[in-house]
Amino acid sequence: MLLAHVRGTLALTSTLYRAYSTPTDIPVPNKSKVWESAEEAVKDIKSGTVLLCGGFGLAGIPDTLLGALAKRKEVVDLTGVSNNAGAGDSGLGKLLNTSKLSKVVASYPGGNKTFESMYLKGEISLELVPQGTLIERIRAHAAGIPAFFTPTGASTAVEEGTIPLRYNPGGMSQGVAIPGNKKEAREINGRRYVLEPAIAGDVAFVRAWKVDEVGNCVFRYAAQNFSTAMAKNAKLTIIEAENIVPVGSISPNAIHLPGVYVDRIVPSTAEKRIEIVTLANTETSNSAPLAPEKAAALAQRHRIAKRAAKEIKDGFYVNLGIGMPTLVPEHLEKGVRVWLQSENGILGMGPYPTEKQLDADLINAGKETVTLLPGASIFDSSESFAMIRGGHIDVAILGAMEVSQAGDIANFMIPGKMVKGIGGAMDLVSNPDKTKVIAVMEHTSKDGRPKILQKCSLPLTGARSVSQIITELAVFNVDRQAGELELIDLAEGVTLEELKSKTGCDFKVSSNLGRM
């Protein structure tokens, strides 16, 4: 039958009749994908398996399946691939606590103190991967692509392979047992890119909100994150479903993951958890007064955030890093409306929820509970980082440990002491010609050492990436090409001499110097 659309109406131009077509009387295969329990579904998983674990923070974590696998004492030497390394007895934490993991491939493992300690002591291997690169390496294998070039991580420890996969027993002081993976790099159209290999999974554990009997999946709010790409990747994909529904009860328009990728379905029995409950301040909120030093520190952070808010214009698409950047929306100028993007798959984040609005499936990149604005959209992590790397975000505001006069930024680790993880930061600074990167930070460390330097001493998050630096003392514009700073604002009560003494590099002073 040939159809034509005329001014929004459907017109039939001709009609064809066929004697044979797809049968409709047998919609469900005789062999069901639905298993009675998670324990049955994981019973053939073997030691040495590469396990892809969906979820972000505690949103969308397949704890039913992970709990079942944790009970199998004979299964060891697993490689766990996940954005995080779990938290307590959730996520990969279930396998970590039962000594089943020998290696973790993750973007932000530092939320799990047990794992961080084990890695620093040389007791487990870690392949630290930028978040956008991690999801793309997973998606690439699912699509039959063995490797790809990305700007994320170029000219950093990711390219150079200087982050050890594993220390010798005893930690950093005892040397490196397994060095990091050095990457091939190439100049393409004047930009530097690194070659990243695809990740191949043996088994994927994924949690979905609604699943029909043939495996079509629907995810709820920000619980989609890594799950769709992981489900498409693995040789064996097992879904734990919050709701198992009959075939035909899900609209084809609503399906996030087609059933062709799904092998087994089990009922989800693990309760949803919230890692960081963050509520909106209301007139009835009862919060204890802060100690004077903490109150002063918070006020200083708000002053920095208030100045950063002046860089955001009406209609901008903005990504805010965790920590201090999350204070910026409180200080937007009157009438300015922006779209806040979160790398775990949200565009159009609203304010923190009231207690009645709390939802375990609605969290931001810092794992805090959030709400959605009218017009918001939800998507998976691969889509999120395509927005970011592709330069579709107007401004990214990040915290920093160090920034150089050329705009190099370091904000993810202190070798041998702290391994929070890269998260999405390397991706957020990977296209600075299209996305303006603003670093917000205290001007000096707690012991008074400058954090704005001629050259960063810590591993870089990005090279020549930052266009503006905002501290409690001053605002600098960065000429990334020339490698120079220009002071454009000076805080009230701060002299030029004091600023120079607290800054670890030279800088120019604007002829039109303003006051913060």
Side-chain angles (χ1 to χ4, degrees), residues 10-23:
L10 186 66
L12 305 183
T13 58
S14 64
T15 303
L16 301 177
Y17 296 95
R18 299 181 62 186
Y20 303 101
S21 183
T22 304

Side-chain angles (χ1 to χ4, degrees), residues 140-319:
H141 177 75
I145 299 170
F148 58 90
F149 280 101
T150 175
T152 302
S155 302
T156 73
V158 169
E159 176 188 330
E160 297 155 0
T162 52
I163 302 174
L165 290 175
R166 189 168 188 146
Y167 291 113
N168 283 320
M172 185 178 180
S173 63
Q174 302 303 310
V176 173
I178 306 174
N181 299 319
K182 188 173 183 179
K183 306 289 171 61
E184 177 187 339
R186 187 176 299 180
E187 296 285 336
I188 303 175
N189 296 329
R191 294 183 67 195
R192 191 169 183 83
Y193 294 80
V194 294
L195 183 66
E196 290 283 0
I199 293 174
D202 296 314
V203 178
F205 285 177
V206 168
R207 179 169 179 150
W209 174 48
K210 191 182 293 185
V211 185
D212 70 19
E213 294 164 312
V214 295
N216 294 312
C217 297
V218 180
F219 298 92
R220 187 172 179 274
Y221 293 140
Q224 185 174 175
N225 46 68
F226 277 69
S227 295
T228 46
M230 287 183 167
K232 295 173 183 179
N233 176 296
K235 298 173 187 174
L236 172 66
T237 292
I238 310 177
I239 305 290
E240 65 170 78
E242 295 172 24
N243 302 279
I244 300 176
V245 300
V247 173
S249 59
I250 302 175
S251 167
N253 293 318
I255 293 168
H256 295 124
L257 179 71
V260 66
Y261 298 109
V262 175
D263 301 293
R264 301 174 185 175
I265 306 163
V266 303
S268 179
T269 58
E271 66 176 355
K272 292 183 179 182
R273 306 182 191 181
I274 299 175
E275 191 169 351
I276 304 175
V277 175
T278 312
L279 299 176
N281 282 324
T282 65
E283 291 181 4
T284 58
S285 298
N286 294 317
S287 54
L290 295 175
E293 63 275 10
K294 288 187 177 181
L298 181 61
Q300 177 175 285
R301 289 160 65 86
H302 273 284
R303 284 198 298 273
I304 297 170
K306 185 176 182 179
R307 177 59 183 82
K310 293 183 179 295
E311 300 298 318
I312 298 177
K313 307 304 178 187
D314 189 55
F316 270 18
Y317 293 91
V318 180
N319 184 290

Side-chain angles (χ1 to χ4, degrees), residues 423-458:
M426 282 193 179
D427 299 278
L428 285 165
V429 303
S430 67
N431 199 347
D433 290 336
K434 292 186 176 180
T435 298
K436 181 178 180 179
V437 178
I438 301 174
V440 291
M441 58 195 291
E442 285 85 11
H443 205 92
T444 62
S445 62
K446 291 181 180 179
D447 59 5
R449 288 182 295 177
K451 295 169 69 173
I452 302 174
L453 306 166
Q454 185 175 11
K455 184 178 180 179
C456 292
S457 62
L458 296 173

Side-chain angles (χ1 to χ4, degrees), residues 447-488:
D447 59 5
R449 288 182 295 177
K451 295 169 69 173
I452 302 174
L453 306 166
Q454 185 175 11
K455 184 178 180 179
C456 292
S457 62
L458 296 173
L460 295 186
T461 305
R464 295 182 182 265
S465 299
V466 175
S467 292
Q468 191 171 65
I469 306 168
I470 301 175
T471 77
E472 76 280 12
L473 302 183
V475 181
F476 296 96
N477 282 342
V478 184
D479 185 332
R480 294 182 287 107
Q481 300 303 317
E484 297 176 344
L485 298 182
E486 180 184 27
L487 175 67
I488 62 168

Side-chain angles (χ1 to χ4, degrees), residues 98-130:
T98 50
S99 303
K100 297 195 175 300
L101 294 172
S102 60
K103 179 181 178 181
V104 168
V105 182
S107 162
Y108 196 84
N112 189 324
K113 295 295 184 183
T114 300
F115 174 82
E116 183 179 28
S117 175
M118 289 176 66
Y119 170 69
L120 292 173
K121 291 176 182 178
E123 296 172 356
I124 195 168
S125 298
L126 167 65
E127 184 177 349
L128 197 57
V129 185

